[in-house]
Amino acid sequence: MVMSFRTVRDSILALLEGEAAGRFRVIGYQKQSKSAENVKNDNRAVEVYYSAGEFPRSTSSMNGPFEHNCSFKIDFTVASPAKGDLTASTPAEYITSLANVSESALVADRSMDELFDHIFQILMDAENIDLGLPDAGDVGIADRWITNFEKDDPISRGEYFVITASALLTLATDEETGGETPTAASEFYTDTEANLPDSDQADDAKAGTFVDNT
Amino acid sequence: MDNIREDIELDLAETLEDEFILPVVLVDPINGKTYDKNFHDAALPLADQRDLGGQIIYDTRVENPDTGGEIIVHKPVVTLRRTSLERVPAEGEKWYVKIPISPVAGAPIVDFLLEDPGEDGGAIGFIRLYLKKVEQS
């Protein structure tokens, strides 16, 4: 049996991948090492992973179902170059081009805002209240909510400006346990001999059957 | 007694512009002028002037202090001898800088943008430029 939070996680990933439309990439785990080149522009990365869970005893049954308040971390990584008119070739065109060039920090900041906009619209859309889980499935969720979003301090990184950010998606689901798989019972064999008390015994209280397992 | 600073500045001709030199082209935001020749040769006929060049270093691996994750970035750093420049980029100015994409001979020239103020080694004669990639808007 698979715990519900794993099914929910996979559903969130499938939902985001289905709605990406080339605007971002979805990574289903914490990818520690990323190349700035590979998260550039519309290849900006969205990492979604189960990060924490609470199991309140008061709202759970001793033998299940167990309420599971899940937290999913959503990490965003954007890398952007500067943007300018590179078709300039004359001094006048260069002056205009450099005067209107967009610094990489600005491009990256706007790109991050746009990325969060996309993700929020998808996950908080009323149509996605179940985060893509089938209506008739075994796993259900409630109270899905993006509780916060926070941009990290922007720091220049090489030829691109890289910005990271994170958001927290919380929801509640139920967990069941399937129990330990029972081992096959070994055959129980008895060879029983009934020893009836002799009828001539004085103590009639010794009536009954004695079972001798050998 | 020799002036050490002058000696260091003279040494830059060898350390920055000798065997490891790579071509650099600067585009001035004030007058739109393109600087692609070594200013030391300004008095010579154009055909005899050396191309402007300097030391270019690429690639580094940096750690994101917020997440602890590693980001692999190209970090082109151009170091130029100040006296080889007709005009030295000033703080706050944005220049186009055209350099080879790699130190391999014949590598294509790519546009970069100088956004941040250059590291000023003016006291000993060089300027170090940290570049950002620029793409067509």
Side-chain angles (χ1 to χ4, degrees), chain A residues 82 97 103-104 156 158-159, chain B residues 74 94 96 115 132-133 136:
Chain A
S97 174
E103 289 189 18
S104 54
S156 174
E159 64 182 358
Chain B
H74 296 297
K94 294 185 181 58
Y96 282 139
E115 294 179 344
K132 285 283 183 281
K133 197 87 170 287
Q136 181 63 43

Side-chain angles (χ1 to χ4, degrees), chain B residues 18-86:
Chain B
D18 199 355
E19 294 180 7
F20 292 99
I21 189 172
L22 286 170
V24 178
V25 175
L26 303 178
V27 180
D28 194 322
I30 302 299
N31 53 25
K33 191 173 177 182
T34 301
Y35 304 116
D36 57 355
K37 296 295 181 185
N38 193 315
F39 191 61
H40 285 105
D41 301 338
L44 300 177
L46 188 61
D48 295 333
Q49 295 180 19
R50 289 169 296 164
D51 289 338
L52 177 64
Q55 181 191 65
I56 304 177
I57 299 176
Y58 302 83
D59 295 356
T60 190
R61 189 181 286 257
V62 298
E63 183 179 298
N64 187 335
D66 297 307
T67 65
E70 243 179 13
I71 304 259
I72 302 164
V73 294
H74 296 297
K75 191 175 180 180
V77 180
V78 176
T79 307
L80 298 169
R81 187 183 180 193
R82 295 170 71 89
T83 53
S84 297
L85 304 177
E86 184 173 336

Side-chain angles (χ1 to χ4, degrees), chain A residues 15-68:
Chain A
L15 174 64
L16 290 176
E17 285 168 352
E19 299 279 346
R23 298 174 297 177
F24 53 85
R25 289 189 302 125
V26 182
I27 301 174
Y29 60 96
Q30 290 174 277
K31 189 173 171 61
Q32 277 300 94
S33 184
K34 292 182 282 287
S35 164
E37 182 75 30
N38 291 337
V39 294
K40 187 183 71 170
N41 297 332
D42 284 346
N43 275 333
R44 47 201 172 182
V46 178
E47 294 165 76
V48 183
Y49 53 94
Y50 172 75
S51 67
E54 285 184 347
F55 302 88
R57 185 187 287 263
S58 59
T59 51
S60 301
S61 171
M62 183 58 68
N63 297 319
F66 309 97
E67 181 171 335
H68 184 178

Side-chain angles (χ1 to χ4, degrees), chain A residues 56-104:
Chain A
R57 185 187 287 263
S58 59
T59 51
S60 301
S61 171
M62 183 58 68
N63 297 319
F66 309 97
E67 181 171 335
H68 184 178
N69 296 327
C70 306
S71 294
F72 290 87
K73 197 90 176 295
I74 307 173
D75 289 340
F76 306 85
T77 307
V78 168
S80 294
K83 297 279 191 182
D85 179 12
L86 301 181
T87 63
S89 57
T90 66
E93 290 173 350
Y94 275 128
I95 291 172
T96 303
S97 174
L98 283 166
N100 294 318
V101 72
S102 296
E103 289 189 18
S104 54

